[in-house]
Amino acid sequence: MLDAVLPPLCLGCNEIVEAPGALCAACWQGFSFISAPHCACCGTPFVEDLGDEALCAGCLVRRPRYHRARAALVYDDQSRRLVLPFKHGDRTDIARACGGWMARAGADLLASADLVAPVPLHWRRLLVRRYNQALLLARIAVRTAPPRHDLHLAPDLLRRRRWTGSQAGLKATERRRNVREAFDIHPKWRPHVAGKTVLLVDDVLTTGATVEACTRTLERAGAKSVDVLTLARVVRPAL
């Protein structure tokens, strides 16, 4: 009866669909899902298969601090219509589908992780937004992945200890400077990080400044390796 009165709507365009959290056929074709072939390090999609260990030009010039990064979608005009309402418009219902896509895109990362941690918000941002979108995605991704008794979600592993404002509009060097020394490890998790593989979860990977700052913090705490899983990532045109 409820479905008849309030039928499930497409996440992309609000057309009626068969099940909650689904995309209509048109929107599904319009989204750019990322799959192999891609850069072995940052996950940038390739036009052609260059081999399992091939790196993109950006990673050849400057290898990121993290080990591997994967994303479910290319961040473009279409996916922005999904990400922005989820991030800023209280559309927390979007997390269920997006977390499932991330679990598939990052299956290898989830399989090798010991701890899964969201990129934290500053308490002032959390007070206004009332939820951390990265934590919602991390919960769904862990829940969707094949069950493992040794995989642990650590929702407060990292803390954003100072206000950094918005990164929007800043250049890559400015973003790195803005988030330098902005994160630390929650005291209760410090004994559990050493020797562990940590999977960082966030909504969008842009320049990588934030996740690299988190990676640096985790490495100082003794983490063996740090991977990154995001809902979407910016893909810059090839030179």
Side-chain angles (χ1 to χ4, degrees), residues 172-219:
T173 53
E174 294 171 331
R175 286 174 178 248
R176 286 194 288 270
R177 190 181 308 117
N178 188 44
V179 294
R180 187 174 299 154
E181 306 299 331
F183 303 94
D184 68 0
I185 306 291
H186 193 292
K188 75 177 184 181
W189 285 104
R190 284 175 187 157
H192 306 288
V193 174
K196 297 296 194 298
T197 296
V198 180
L199 177 58
L200 283 172
V201 175
D202 206 0
D203 51 2
V204 180
L205 181 65
T206 308
T207 64
T210 298
V211 293
E212 289 201 61
C214 291
T215 299
R216 185 179 293 108
T217 300
L218 290 164
E219 288 176 341

Side-chain angles (χ1 to χ4, degrees), residues 117-202:
V119 171
L121 296 178
H122 189 268
W123 68 264
R124 287 166 54 188
R125 176 90 64 192
L126 186 59
L127 190 64
V128 173
R129 190 174 296 169
R130 294 175 289 112
Y131 61 93
N132 180 357
Q133 71 280 0
L135 175 55
L136 298 183
L137 294 171
R139 282 177 174 158
I140 300 297
V142 169
R143 193 181 305 160
T144 306
R148 285 176 47 209
H149 71 277
D150 55 345
L151 176 63
H152 301 285
L153 177 64
D156 55 351
L157 173 61
L158 286 166
R159 302 183 299 185
R160 194 181 291 248
R161 64 184 183 182
R162 66 175 176 82
W163 175 255
T164 57
S166 173
Q167 295 273 73
L170 299 181
K171 297 178 180 178
T173 53
E174 294 171 331
R175 286 174 178 248
R176 286 194 288 270
R177 190 181 308 117
N178 188 44
V179 294
R180 187 174 299 154
E181 306 299 331
F183 303 94
D184 68 0
I185 306 291
H186 193 292
K188 75 177 184 181
W189 285 104
R190 284 175 187 157
H192 306 288
V193 174
K196 297 296 194 298
T197 296
V198 180
L199 177 58
L200 283 172
V201 175
D202 206 0

Side-chain angles (χ1 to χ4, degrees), residues 39-54:
C39 172
C41 178
C42 75
T44 294
F46 289 150
V47 176
E48 58 183 275
D49 192 351
L50 302 177
D52 292 341
E53 301 302 318

